[in-house]
Amino acid sequence: MDFQVAVFTIIGLAFVAQTASAQNSVADIVTIDFFNGIINQAAADCAGKSFYTRQAFLDTLGSYTGFATTGSADDNKREIAAFFAHVTHETGHFCYIEEINKNTYCDTSRTDFPCNPAKQYYGRGPLQLTWNYNYGAAGNAIGFDGLNSPETVASEPVLAFKTGLWFWMNNVHSVISQGFGATTRAINGAVECDGKSPDTVQARVNYYTDYCTQFNVAPGDNLYC
């Protein structure tokens, strides 16, 4: 083995070790009991109960190694609590795979992600991925045809969690240090924040503070938006 090959081998092994370490640390927090504590609150006939699994979530972490790994131990716990608070709210404790009130959600001004007129881009997955431009961009990043086959998100559990973490890392992760309220604004601020839907904002906060308590971490400031 020459020197260059040896260096690349060492770098590759270090990356694998780092990825495994990140996955393990998140897995230590998102325990079976924690995950089941959420999904067991969904009704027995919920489609999501046989779709969302802790293992599917863990299987996505290798693709998003920056999730809940870049801050202090407490910061990372808060990010996990925030993610699952929004997931809990968006899916009704993992009950729903697809949005209840389906609509087309086609922004025709986004010519970079042209809508397929036969498809609808309503919410699907743990963070309810919505709009043609999100499906298109997520598809490009993850490797599926988001514009022509958006329904794929509702048929493959690991892919569904990947869309959730893709959205999170691209739109939410950067504001996590500003407090939980900033994450709500990043996800649905135009509809809920600034007094538009205080009950909905409160519901998200309640989930977040509950999960922070379970993780034995203070929720921090700026909980509302």
Side-chain angles (χ1 to χ4, degrees), residues 89 184 188 192 196-207:
H89 177 77
T184 300
N188 208 25
E192 298 177 19
K196 295 183 181 73
S197 185
D199 290 345
T200 306
V201 170
Q202 186 64 58
R204 293 181 189 268
V205 171
N206 290 347
Y207 292 133

Side-chain angles (χ1 to χ4, degrees), residues 152-168:
T152 308
V153 177
S155 63
E156 299 180 16
V158 172
L159 176 61
F161 272 113
K162 281 187 176 182
T163 66
L165 282 178
W166 170 85
F167 184 87
W168 185 271

